[in-house]
Amino acid sequence: MARRRGAFAPPANSLALGAPAGYDGDMILFSRFLALVACSLVLSGCLPERGNQPPYYKDLARVDAAVDAASAQQMISGYRQNNGLRPLTVDPALMRAARQQAEAMAQANNVRASLQPENRLAARLAAAGETQTYAVENASAGYRTLAEAFSGWRDSPKHNAVMLDPRATRMGIATAYAPGSKYRVFWSLVLASPAP
């Protein structure tokens, strides 16, 4: 093959990628592979892990899902403290009362189930032995994450008043999933004064 003056002809043992003479093609591919692996490792350290989604954003529209009470307590207490109020503690009796309400609404596929005499907050607290306890409640449906529920309650004057009730010191929160419902997730947040 004739060479023209100034034309470049790569050595026979190099790739047509501009590799310098003396380098083997396999060596170049291997070094590029190593560079790609190194870049991937560096970039993977910059991305959040998929399994470490904050509980505020966990989709609760699943049979096995439940709201994280500790995260809810932290979020609502922080909001209360920002508004000059005391934080809340998670209370087992209020957690049961909230669970009963969420399940009743999901079973009826209607938030109005909370208005039935047996589902009223006073009746549920009385069943837990707290007949003289001051308590308030948010009952809602359709929010798929804790962050959505909190934002919806904060933006609704009546629901916001419940979260910012100055007499509240304890809380319970629960969700119930209804797969055939257009709402999918039913919520109950119960706040109460100290137990007598």
Side-chain angles (χ1 to χ4, degrees):
M1 174 163 115
R3 291 176 88 182
R4 287 185 299 176
R5 189 174 173 106
F8 173 75
N13 66 344
S14 69
L15 296 174
L17 300 173
Y23 272 103
D24 184 51
D26 290 337
M27 182 65 159
I28 291 171
L29 288 176
F30 182 71
S31 62
R32 287 187 177 169
F33 171 76
L34 286 179
L36 181 63
V37 167
C39 288
S40 296
L41 289 173
V42 168
L43 289 175
S44 69
C46 298
L47 300 174
E49 294 181 35
R50 288 185 183 257
N52 289 343
Q53 183 180 39
Y56 306 122
Y57 304 113
K58 179 181 171 187
D59 186 354
L60 300 174
R62 296 187 337 259
V63 174
D64 63 339
V67 65
D68 184 314
S71 295
Q73 181 271 336
Q74 182 183 30
M75 179 182 275
I76 295 167
S77 289
Y79 180 58
R80 288 172 56 86
Q81 289 175 308
N82 288 342
N83 284 278
L85 300 169
R86 68 182 123 199
L88 303 169
T89 59
V90 174
D91 183 271
L94 299 182
M95 290 293 292
R96 283 190 298 277
R99 166 66 50 204
Q100 290 169 344
Q101 182 68 291
E103 288 174 354
M105 292 185 298
Q107 187 175 18
N109 189 24
N110 194 329
V111 176
R112 291 195 149 314
S114 63
L115 301 176
Q116 298 299 317
E118 66 276 8
N119 293 336
R120 290 193 181 257
L121 182 55
R124 287 180 281 131
L125 289 177
E130 293 197 32
T131 57
Q132 300 300 314
T133 300
Y134 169 81
V136 291
E137 178 176 45
N138 279 344
S140 58
Y143 302 119
R144 292 182 65 142
T145 68
L146 175 58
E148 288 176 5
F150 174 80
S151 294
W153 294 335
R154 186 192 57 214
D155 294 342
S156 163
K158 289 182 180 180
H159 291 89
N160 191 49
V162 168
M163 291 197 300
L164 296 178
D165 191 300
R167 293 186 270 182
T169 61
R170 304 177 293 147
M171 69 169 277
I173 189 168
T175 57
Y177 175 60
S181 170
K182 70 177 181 179
Y183 302 110
R184 313 246 333 207
V185 183
F186 290 81
W187 293 79
S188 174
L189 170 68
V190 178
L191 275 62
S193 62

